[in-house]
Amino acid sequence: MTTHADEPQPRPRRRAPAGAAVLRADVTEAIRAAVFEELAAVGYARMSIEGIARRAGVGKTAVYRRWRSKLHLVLDIVSALAVQGLPAPDTGSLDTDLRMLYEVTSRALRHPVASQVIPDLQAEAARNPEIAEAMQKAVREGQDGVASSILVAAERRGEIRAGHDHDLALDLISGPLYWRSVVIRGPKPPKGYLAALTRATAAALRAL
């Protein structure tokens, strides 16, 4: 009689331990989007995990699985902006690189969500060092990173002087538009404003 007792038996399929559910990417993205919408609607001070979960269409547990508190959630969202950043123009000319940067930045800052969220987070940053640090990181690694790439390319092409004051150059590039859009929260720039800003900034950079 033939026996199969010594033949290798298939291993039973392992089951994932209870509570080890995979964090679904689509749920995470829904929560991230809900944070921006909630910030724009009620501001950081009145924002709650309950409101975020309701807006995202998930339970509170789904939020707490990913972030310990609304502070950690907002810090993560703001820090992620630094990674995403803005596209670095590479047109072959300082003037057209600056114009493209200003066009993209101006549209981004006029977005209804951004126009509400950024001022609110700036106000909160004055009271919360952790948010202040996260926002500084987002700006430096995002906007300043793009501006730096424009300066490096312009220096390589001989359009600006080597050894210029890099920090001053960054202020010249980023300062005016942020002042108008974020600080004084002016209306949409009038026709010709971005072109004039591009010419003035390019001239100032060449004069450094």
Side-chain angles (χ1 to χ4, degrees), residues 73-152:
L73 175 50
V74 170
L75 290 176
D76 179 62
I77 296 295
V78 172
S79 298
L81 295 177
V83 179
Q84 295 172 5
L86 294 168
D90 187 14
T91 65
S93 162
L94 172 62
D95 293 73
T96 50
D97 279 355
L98 288 172
R99 179 60 185 270
M100 184 176 292
L101 174 63
Y102 287 148
E103 292 281 0
V104 173
T105 304
S106 179
R107 285 197 299 271
L109 292 176
R110 292 200 313 271
H111 189 281
V113 174
S115 65
Q116 293 293 325
V117 169
I118 293 175
D120 186 66
L121 287 180
Q122 283 185 320
E124 194 62 35
R127 298 184 289 268
N128 191 313
E130 290 181 279
I131 290 182
E133 183 179 354
M135 289 198 67
Q136 288 172 5
K137 179 181 174 64
V139 171
R140 288 186 180 280
E141 295 185 11
Q143 179 75 18
D144 284 4
V146 175
S148 291
S149 71
I150 291 176
L151 292 170
V152 169

Side-chain angles (χ1 to χ4, degrees), residues 154-165:
E155 185 177 320
R156 187 174 61 248
R157 292 189 297 259
E159 294 178 286
I160 60 175
R161 183 179 62 84
H164 59 270
D165 187 329

